[in-house]
């Protein structure tokens, strides 16, 4: 059987991979930091534009067998690819003042990771999904360890690598068992039905456990604080957003789309993961004294909110297509909000401490008085993550999550989300208070204009997301 390849459907992946190659050539021929970063930024913009043009037209697919395709370009894949490109662009902007990492390798690894994220959004089978997810993750091992001559960087990279390898092995074992019981790997074919066997349940649990690592869900979260704190701050920004976005997309595609016949098995597990993740993340964040570790534990808690609508849908008895659409819309909307707010928070940290690690929370005392605009951006990101006005995106996201839980009949889970949101206020407001406290005697830091511009763009995007929620819901 001959098989044609639709190169138009593959265009976003071509652009992302081409960006990685161009970055290496630019570093080899020109060997100037600014040129390398500009080429990477232009490539990220081209990738986002290509994904939107291809995905928002008629649905396209390639590498197909009867009834299913391995690579699908549609509106959802366009949203995912554009998000990964925006993340890459923002991190490149925040990296302008980071001088302790080699620019060629740094931008190349970011572009390779972006390629994995673009392919992940179009994955139509388990093999493509897992390979794309690993292409997204593998460069992050090196990026975490790029901060030269620091024990924390090496420790974070090794921790991330070891735990990730185990999680990948678990995911592959689950996928292999699914193929053993069904003889299928395409998600649409798996959704048509799975045999009612004990091995099926084991396969679903293994796949879910492996993917939960990517979103740093409890108890698969131990790598996150060490990896975030050991990495350069711009890399921590990308790690906290790209890895979580990739994990959420993988769970949506694999568990919700492909394994719907086995939801009775996955439902309780995902609901328990959501409750444990948001509770543990918030409680441990209360004890943190380092800024990046606080943001790391905050991101763990946010993963619990992201998983809650899916857990509620899987626990419900009336699993209609409308209920699934509501749960998926709430998950994607909250993920988009989280990515923008988290990127803004890390961007502000990178701007306030250019070229350094995140430092102690006490080091930021009075920072908002010395740098009003950057401090205001950090406070806006924090109150947005807390779900308070004027962070309208955060308020909208929390409301969408709670509404989806109530509509799904999971009132108890909505109560857990509300309680955890109140707990989260304690550490978000504490950091905001430190930023506006009477400043300690500290040298004035000059914020690089590129970092400030990138932070402004990300913050503006986060604010716009609060005013235009329907766009996110329509695309999902």
């Amino acid at each position: 059987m001959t098989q044609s390849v639709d190169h138009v459907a593959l265009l976003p992946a071509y652009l992302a991979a081409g960006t990685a190659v161009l970055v290496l050539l630019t570093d080899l021929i020109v060997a100037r930091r600014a040129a390398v970063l500009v080429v990477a930024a232009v490539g990220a913009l081209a990738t986002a534009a290509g994904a939107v043009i291809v995905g928002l037209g008629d649905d396209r697919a390639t590498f197909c067998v009867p009834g299913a395709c391995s690579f699908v370009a549609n509106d959802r894949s366009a949203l995912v690819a554009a998000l990964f490109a925006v993340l890459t662009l923002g991190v490149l902007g925040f990296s302008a003042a980071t001088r302790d990492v080699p620019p060629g390798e740094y931008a190349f690894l970011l572009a390779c990771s972006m390629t994995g994220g673009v392919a992940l959004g179009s994955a139509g089978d388990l093999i493509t999904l897992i390979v794309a997810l690993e292409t997204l993750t593998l460069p992050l091992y090196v990026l975490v360890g790029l901060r030269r001559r620091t024990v924390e960087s090496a420790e974070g990279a090794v921790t991330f690598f070891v735990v990730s390898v185990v999680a990948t092995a678990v995911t592959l074992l689950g996928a292999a068992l699914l193929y053993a019981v069904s003889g299928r790997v395409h998600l649409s074919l798996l959704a048509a039905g799975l045999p009612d066997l004990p091995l099926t349940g084991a396969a679903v649990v293994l796949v879910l456990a492996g993917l939960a690592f990517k979103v740093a869900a409890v108890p698969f979260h131990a790598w996150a604080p060490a990896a975030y704190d050991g990495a350069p701050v711009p890399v921590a920004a990308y790690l906290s957003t790209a890895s979580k976005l990739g994990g959420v997309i993988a769970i949506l595609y694999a568990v919700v789309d492909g394994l719907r016949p086995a939801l009775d098995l996955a439902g309780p597990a995902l609901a328990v993961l959501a409750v444990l993740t948001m509770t543990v993340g918030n409680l441990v964040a209360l004890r943190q004294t380092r800024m990046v570790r606080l943001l790391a534990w905050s991101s763990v808690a946010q993963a619990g909110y992201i998983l809650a609508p899916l857990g509620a849908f899987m626990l419900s008895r009336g699993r209609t297509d409308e209920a699934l659409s509501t749960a998926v819309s709430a998950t994607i909307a909250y993920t988009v909000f989280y990515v923008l707010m988290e990127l803004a928070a890390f961007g502000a940290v990178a701007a306030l401490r250019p070229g350094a690690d995140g430092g102690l929370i006490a080091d930021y005392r009075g920072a908002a008085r010395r740098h009003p605009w950057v401090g205001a951006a950090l406070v806006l990101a924090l109150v947005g993550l807390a779900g308070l006005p004027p962070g309208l995106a955060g308020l909208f996201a929390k409301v969408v999550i709670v509404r989806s839980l109530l509509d799904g009949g999971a009132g108890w889970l909505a109560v857990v989300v509300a309680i955890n949101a109140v707990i989260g206020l304690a550490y978000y407001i504490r950091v905001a208070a430190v930023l506006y406290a009477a400043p300690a005697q500290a040298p004035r830091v000059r914020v690089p204009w590129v970092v400030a511009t990138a932070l402004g763009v990300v913050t503006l995007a986060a604010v716009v997301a609060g005013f235009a929620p329907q766009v996110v819901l329509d695309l999902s």
Side-chain angles (χ1 to χ4, degrees):
M1 182 181 67
T2 59
Q3 188 178 74
S4 61
V5 178
D6 187 346
H7 294 284
V8 175
L10 294 168
L11 178 61
Y14 289 159
L15 290 171
T19 300
V21 175
L22 285 176
V23 163
L24 278 184
L25 292 176
T26 304
D27 187 47
L28 178 65
I29 298 172
V30 181
R32 294 182 63 88
R33 179 186 181 83
V36 171
L37 295 181
V38 167
V39 168
V42 171
L45 283 173
T47 301
V52 170
I53 292 172
V54 173
L56 295 185
D58 295 332
D59 290 356
R60 308 183 72 101
T62 189
F63 305 124
C64 298
V65 298
C69 294
S70 294
F71 199 94
V72 181
N74 52 26
D75 54 355
R76 189 161 65 173
S77 69
L79 175 62
V80 174
L83 278 175
F84 276 107
V86 168
L87 285 178
T88 304
L89 193 61
V91 171
L92 288 169
F94 300 152
S95 306
T98 304
R99 300 290 176 179
D100 59 346
V101 295
E105 293 89 330
Y106 179 75
F108 169 74
L109 290 169
L110 277 178
C112 288
S113 184
M114 177 178 67
T115 303
V118 170
L120 178 64
S122 300
D125 62 50
L126 286 175
I127 297 174
T128 304
L129 186 143
I130 294 173
V131 170
L133 194 58
E134 290 311 302
T135 304
L136 165 67
T137 306
L138 281 172
L140 299 179
Y141 306 151
V142 184
L143 285 171
V144 170
L146 272 185
R147 212 170 76 203
R148 293 168 175 159
R149 296 183 296 276
T150 61
V151 175
E152 293 81 7
S153 180
E155 177 189 353
V158 171
T159 301
F160 185 27
F161 172 74
V162 172
V163 180
S164 182
V165 166
V166 174
T168 301
V170 170
T171 307
L172 287 172
L173 177 59
L177 293 179
L178 280 174
Y179 182 73
V181 299
S182 66
R184 308 164 186 162
V185 293
H186 290 84
L187 300 178
S188 58
L189 297 180
L190 289 171
L194 289 170
D196 187 11
L197 298 172
L199 195 58
T200 304
V204 172
V205 170
L206 287 172
V207 170
L208 181 60
L211 297 180
F213 162 84
K214 304 298 181 182
V215 297
V218 174
F220 312 102
H221 66 288
W223 62 274
Y228 291 12
D229 202 23
V233 175
V235 173
Y238 189 78
L239 179 60
S240 67
T241 52
S243 179
K244 203 170 299 290
L245 176 61
V248 170
I249 297 302
I251 289 174
L252 283 174
Y253 283 17
V255 177
V256 176
D257 286 356
L259 307 182
R260 286 187 66 182
L263 290 185
D264 289 333
L265 300 167
L270 203 55
V272 170
L273 280 179
V275 172
L276 289 176
T277 300
M278 68 179 76
T279 304
V280 172
N282 280 321
L283 291 178
V284 180
L286 292 172
R287 302 173 52 248
Q288 300 307 306
T289 58
R290 293 184 61 81
M291 179 63 81
V292 171
R293 280 188 175 265
L294 182 139
L295 291 175
W297 284 105
S298 164
S299 74
V300 172
Q302 297 293 332
Y305 302 140
I306 291 172
L307 294 176
L310 296 180
F313 167 75
M314 294 178 180
L315 286 175
S316 65
R317 295 182 178 178
R319 299 193 192 108
T320 62
D321 290 339
E322 182 180 358
L324 176 61
S325 177
T326 301
V328 171
S329 296
T331 298
I332 293 179
Y334 197 93
T335 302
V336 171
F337 142 77
Y338 163 81
V339 164
L340 293 173
M341 286 296 184
E342 189 80 354
L343 192 62
F346 273 102
V349 171
L352 292 172
R353 294 177 60 87
D357 63 10
L360 300 173
I361 295 174
D363 297 336
Y364 293 80
R365 185 179 180 86
R369 297 182 181 221
R370 296 189 295 271
H371 305 285
W373 291 107
V374 178
L378 179 53
V379 171
L380 178 64
L382 293 173
V383 300
L385 290 169
L388 291 176
L392 294 178
L395 184 62
F396 154 72
K398 288 288 194 300
V399 169
V400 167
I401 290 292
V402 172
R403 184 193 303 164
S404 69
L405 297 177
L406 294 175
D407 291 344
W412 66 272
L413 193 50
V415 172
V416 173
V417 169
I419 293 174
N420 274 277
V422 173
I423 296 173
L425 293 179
Y427 57 85
Y428 288 126
I429 293 177
R430 173 167 64 94
V431 175
V434 170
L435 289 168
Y436 282 100
Q441 294 298 324
R444 187 173 181 85
V445 178
R446 182 176 178 273
V447 178
W449 70 269
V450 177
V451 178
T453 303
L455 176 60
V457 172
V458 171
T459 305
L460 179 63
V463 173
V464 170
F467 287 99
Q470 195 60 42
V471 174
V472 177
L473 294 177
D474 290 344
L475 287 177
S476 63

